[in-house]
Amino acid sequence: MNDFKISSFEDYQKKYDQSVANPVVFWENIAKEFTWEKFPKQLLNWDFQTGITKWFEDGELNITVNLLDRHLADKANQTALLWEPNELDEDTISYTYSQLHQAVCKFANALDKIGVKKGDRVCIYMPMIPELTIAMLACARIGAIHMVVFAGFSANALQDRMIDCEPKIVITADGLRRGNKQIELKSIVDKALEKIDFVKNVIIFNALNMDIQMQHSRDLWWNDVVKSESTIFHPIRTSGEDPLFILYTSGSTGKPKGVVHAVAGYMIYTAYTFMNVYQYEPNDVFWCTADIGWITGHSYIVYGPLACGATTMMFEGIPTYPEANRFWQIIEKHKVSQFLTAPTAIRSLMAYGKEYVEPFKLKSLKVIGSVGEPINEEAWLWYHEYVGKKKCAVVDNWWQTETGGVMISALGNISPLKPTYAGLPLPGVQPVLLDVQGQEIKEANVEGFLCMKFPWPSIIRTTFGDHERCRVNYFSQYPGYYFSGDGAKRDENGMYRIIGRIDDVINVSGHRFGTAEIENAINLNDAVIESAVVGYPHDIKGQAIYAYVVIESSAFEMDQTSLIRSIHESVANAIGKVAIPEIIQIVHSLPKTRSGKIMRRILRKIAEGEIEQIGDTSTLLDPSVVSEISKDSKKIKSI
């Protein structure tokens, strides 16, 4: 695997240069590391004007052969999948590569028997249990297209996604556990299916022994459909460009977009980035805390690690149950080597205090990662000091559902690190910064719109059933480029700092500020846990800055004027007085999706006084937060 694994920073520089000089040859050599029924001759066909990219189109393979079968010769008894339950007193479940292969084949046979064929869509709405991974891989083995929906979305959200892609079957469970809560999933599925007639069967895994309603002839128990099936299922051949899965991502307006990823390019890119960003070694244990309902779970719990023959772990629970030391207990229990979580989780655990993490040595850790949004400096430093014990690299990943895998990041302990900077692009990734006119910005320390000028293997192929939406969203803004929708800054060493979504950029009196940059400055204040910043119309400045700030419990006892002045000082010191918020509202919590994403669109509507236009809040972790913020009068003008 000489072309596959990057061994030093000098090696990275050499391989990056090769990948830019001749990207097709570079990715062809990586592709040779995998098992093909027919190696592709047509390596790349692309046109950013139309938003069409095809990699390895005439190649033939099955992705599960690369995730499972090819490891059976030397890794049959190695642990492939570790599962840590929600409850402390329950046993961990593990699958070797041999056992996971057998379980996937049994379920693939069951799907085949009820009529699921290549190209059919399958909706998966399950807890974070091993059967979720098994269901995904069984779909891939049969050539069906899986569409995983986070098992926390409402019946309406589930229904919208099913109406868009028309799955033949739904796979779910009776219920799920998350912390001290239990949620009945089957009843949510039943409600979602009330106006749907194209779903032939619902397969239910009995996870919690709940008393659920079964619909005759439609509903089937998982254990019943697999019990007599063979542990052998010959994989269906797919082309390199056959769709592997659809994953829905919400836009700021309109219905969710069904992002489509293709078999070969996605497999190759997720495996390559997993191996190099996390510098995975044999016998390491990799743990990504994301939910598989999101792209991070797809790429870095399932596909990337298994394609590399790694041991990957999934966790059913939450970081604060039963105590705020659960993550650290699990790391020590399983001797986790690489750990990936979200800045939201890090900041949440910071708020509980370092006493929850300090007693743990965490000696097994080598690399710790951050993903999902830009990480502020205070959280980065806390993570590095208390979790990484100042010996682990903090790899701050930048990527998107649409990119399929990590695009910009440090590589384990071999790349330079800089708090708040994601770092350097991965080999094969060619980022540029564009100005408003679409001209490339060559200077350092100037911000611009982050775009890509050449396709990588796991780039979005289309939005399901509506390619024009894909073209307009990602390829029309700056013709000839993939438009990420993010703003970024590049330093004199070529390292990138993500400053937030373009629609999260505030223009105050001609000065453009990324919301992430202002939030980072606010969060440096000792009294602040986290913040969210939006712009709102201002008669004189055009836009002004409105900050929603969550403070430490002890800070509620402070004089409000002193508290606000100290926050102003934090912003002035980090950015300048021109970035001081016009209004600061102290809140108990922020509106977030269940994946931890702050819904700034909702906060913007509140700031603009358009509360009646907020729309559906059912997919939020806690919808009541919105009404609390809307009614709250603790808004303090700039002092």
Side-chain angles (χ1 to χ4, degrees), residues 579-612:
I580 289 176
E582 187 83 5
I583 294 176
I584 292 176
Q585 181 174 351
I586 305 300
V587 298
H588 288 93
S589 55
L590 299 169
K592 297 178 182 179
T593 65
R594 292 174 175 86
S595 65
K597 179 181 178 183
I598 297 170
M599 292 300 287
R600 291 174 180 81
R601 174 180 60 83
I602 289 174
L603 295 175
R604 195 177 298 113
K605 290 292 183 186
I606 296 172
E608 292 170 352
E610 297 178 352
I611 297 170
E612 68 284 351

Side-chain angles (χ1 to χ4, degrees), residues 48-59:
F48 273 1
Q49 299 293 333
T50 59
I52 291 175
T53 303
K54 296 180 179 181
W55 280 94
F56 317 114
E57 186 176 6
D58 63 338

Side-chain angles (χ1 to χ4, degrees), residues 24 29 73 77 93 103 105 123 185 209 214 230 236 250 252 262 271 280 306 420-421 433 501 535 541 561 603-604 625:
V24 174
N29 288 334
N77 297 318
I93 293 175
C105 286
C123 173
L185 294 185
N209 289 316
M214 298 288 283
S230 168
I236 303 299
S250 298
S252 56
Y280 186 87
L306 294 177
T420 75
Y421 277 73
L433 296 182
R501 298 293 297 169
K541 300 177 181 179
T561 300
L603 295 175
R604 195 177 298 113
V625 168

Side-chain angles (χ1 to χ4, degrees), residues 554-574:
S554 58
F556 280 97
E557 299 171 10
M558 289 178 63
D559 172 71
Q560 290 291 292
T561 300
S562 300
L563 173 62
I564 298 306
R565 279 186 174 149
S566 73
I567 293 174
H568 287 175
E569 287 173 7
S570 297
V571 176
N573 290 337

